Every structure is written in C-alpha cells, then in structure tokens.
Amino acid sequence: MPSRSLWRFDPNHYLSSSKGLLDQYRMRKRRRFYFSIENVEPRPKNSMPETDKSEVRRQLIQKLQEFRHTRFRKDIALRLYLNTTEKNPAHAQNIAKNLLDLFSFNPDRRKSDRRALYKDDNQISALSVTCHHGGSKPRIWGYVYPMECLFQDIHLLMTSTDQHDDFRQFRDPPDFSDHLEALEDWRRDENNIRKLYGNQAFESFLAHLHCRAQEALLSRGNLSTRDLNAMYNVTGRSFGFDHSKLWEQVFHFSPLRILLDEFPQQSGTSSIWKRHIDQKLKDFQASFGRMVNPLVVPVALEVLIKPPPPSRMRGNPDLDNLLRKYIIPPVNEVLNPVMKNGITRFEAYRLPPSPEGTNGFVHIAIVADTTGYDSVFKEIDEGLERWEGSL
C-alpha cells in the first residue's frame, strides 16, 4: 500500500498544487488564537495588583469563550507584545513571567475561572516577547498556535517560494564592511575634519557612523527562517535525512553567536553555569572591542536551547524561567544595553533533545533591534503573505 505522504512528491496532487497549499495555509491561520488585553499595565507578579490580575484573566477568558477556544494541549509557539506607560517599568522578562503564569491552567482556581491558553507554560517551545515602554496606553496582546503549524509554515516558505525568487526575501543585513570602512576613514582623517567642521560636528558624525557599523555587525547574527528550518530539520524530514547536525556546527563556529554548555541538570551547578555565561559574554565583548563596547543601538536576545539526551534530562525547564534566571540578567549586566530597561525583545526556541552520548547546548546572539518589531516570526509571516499575494 503506497504511503499517504507520497502526495508531497506528486506535482499533480491537489495538496501539492498552489490552491491546495493555500487552502492548508489558511486553515492553519485559523488555528491561531489572537488575544488582546486592554487598559491593564503590564507588571511583574509582585507589582501587579490582584484586581489587575483578575482583569487579565477576565479578558482572556472572554476571548476564549467568544471564539469557543479550548486550551492548547501540545507544544506551542507564543508571540507576546507588551506596551507600558510607566516611567520606570520592570524588565520585560519579569513582566512576561507573571503573564505566562496567568495564561496557564491552575486547578486551584474556582471552576468558572479555569479556562486557560495552555495547561502548563512548559508547553511553550517557541517564545517571542517584545516590550515597548512609555506609550500613552497600556496593552498586552499576542497570538498562540501549535508548533506543528509553525513547522508547516516554515516548510511552505522554504519549498513553495523557490519558484518566486522575488518573494523569498529573507532578512538581508546591512553590509558591515562598508560601514566599518566609512568609520575608519572618518577616524583616519580626524585632524582635517575637526579643523574644517569643528569638534562637535566630528563627534556627532562619528557617533552616527559607530551606530551604523554596530547595527550592521549585530544584524549578521540574526536567526532566519533557514536557520530554524535546518535546526528543526523541517524540510529534511520529507526526504529522509537530517541536516540539523551540520547546521549546529555552522552555528558553533559563528563568531557572532555565543555557545554555552547545556543548562544545569544537577542541584548546585547553577552558580557554575552563571559564571560560565558571564565569562563567555566578556569574551564576546573582548573579541569585538569597541565595536560592541559600549552598545549604542537597541538590541534583542535570540536563544536556541538544545536539551541533553532524555536519559540525562532532569526536568525540562520553562523557556521563560531559563531566560529570566540565567541568561537575561548577565546579558544586561555585562553588555549593558543602551535601552534603560535592557533588551527590547527576547526570543527563544527549544530544539529536540540531543542524541544519546552527546551534550546539549545553549546558543545566544545579541542582535540589533532598531525597529523594535523584528523577529523570525515576522519574517515567516511576511514571506508567506508575499507568497499568498503572488498566487
């Protein structure tokens, strides 16, 4: 009996046709759950009044009831946006921790208040949190969908857009070498420029060139759709091979990505891991010198987490807890981002566990985020919107 998956290799099959792929894509979009919570200031658990916590739950439950949506029971991707109005808001990771707990199922709540987005926040395998401070109106909004839908979207973007090269527009970072050359030329001609235009003009334009060069450098470390496709072996599954290992090696040797040991598995090793990440961040700073020290452009944090083999795994920590406890604090402390409240966005992906006999790892990258809205989620969505518009 032929395999039901052979339709992928039959160009005449309805599911392989443009119409079939479009229908499947639109059906997946309907599985997304969008929510918006208005007029509640995003705050950490200890700072948010109980009335505000109740209001977050009330508005979420209202949305779930309106769309007759039950909680997700498998691994999910969650994209969350936070708009604050406070002059001195808390860091985004502490706000997100509170909200993710409020979104989850809690059997201790009364029966009428048990609706939730998911059973446990450990289900979140892809997380993106973007925070904008100082707005005129507080807001919490985002969307959730199954990880399998994310994989199918990546597969569609990586395969069906081959024939539409104009629409396969992955992020193209600015040319760092051009910006670096302009910066060095300006510094070499410092004496003449100061004489012609004055000290203030020289320093102002030097700062501008430094910003452009730093943005171009840090943009080269951004995760892309192609990276996620390889790391999760999305398209490789269809052809029976796994190229994730090769892509991991590429990442291991990338100077703009910081390779860390697998997250702590035994009690008493947390402090060792924290010292490890501190040293790695200082090494990164030393490697690029004044190109990254000090940081002069807003930056985001992108993280890939590969757990150890199942035989050595002692619990699978929540993405938000790992970021909040171990990764984001030293990034803020060592690299000292230019924004008052640290990084503008953090994004994390939990990969499949490493094979037996090997070690897991954590990859982090400090990337430029001048727009404040960039992410791999956005790249995928915009790429598929262009593909949809081309049909």
Side-chain angles (χ1 to χ4, degrees), residues 154 157-158 162 168-173 222-235 243-244 247 251 376 379-380:
I154 291 173
L157 185 60
M158 293 299 299
D162 281 340
R168 194 171 184 178
Q169 299 175 11
F170 296 102
R171 279 175 291 186
D172 186 17
N222 284 43
L223 279 173
S224 71
T225 310
R226 282 176 288 189
D227 296 328
L228 291 187
N229 172 62
M231 287 294 197
Y232 284 109
N233 196 42
V234 176
T235 54
H243 50 201
S244 62
W247 212 257
F251 266 50
V376 187
E379 178 184 309
I380 295 169

Side-chain angles (χ1 to χ4, degrees), residues 14-30 153 156 160 384-385 387-391:
Y14 162 73
L15 293 178
S16 299
S17 68
S18 295
K19 187 178 187 310
L21 293 171
L22 181 60
D23 288 344
Q24 293 171 75
Y25 170 59
R26 288 175 173 172
M27 187 176 298
R28 287 197 301 275
K29 287 184 73 173
R30 287 196 290 270
D153 284 351
L156 177 60
S160 299
L384 290 176
E385 286 171 7
W387 168 77
E388 184 178 9
S390 71
L391 299 179

Side-chain angles (χ1 to χ4, degrees), residues 230-289:
M231 287 294 197
Y232 284 109
N233 196 42
V234 176
T235 54
R237 300 178 194 175
S238 303
F239 299 99
F241 64 86
D242 186 352
H243 50 201
S244 62
K245 191 65 177 177
L246 175 62
W247 212 257
E248 288 173 13
Q249 293 302 315
V250 172
F251 266 50
H252 289 351
F253 291 102
S254 171
L256 286 167
R257 302 199 65 85
I258 302 170
L259 174 62
L260 305 169
D261 295 339
E262 64 186 26
F263 55 78
Q265 290 295 301
Q266 298 178 355
S267 60
T269 60
S270 298
S271 59
I272 297 174
W273 204 83
K274 289 178 180 178
R275 289 197 296 271
H276 171 62
I277 185 173
D278 276 353
Q279 187 58 52
K280 286 283 189 174
L281 290 169
K282 291 173 182 175
D283 291 344
F284 170 78
Q285 213 172 37
S287 296
F288 291 96

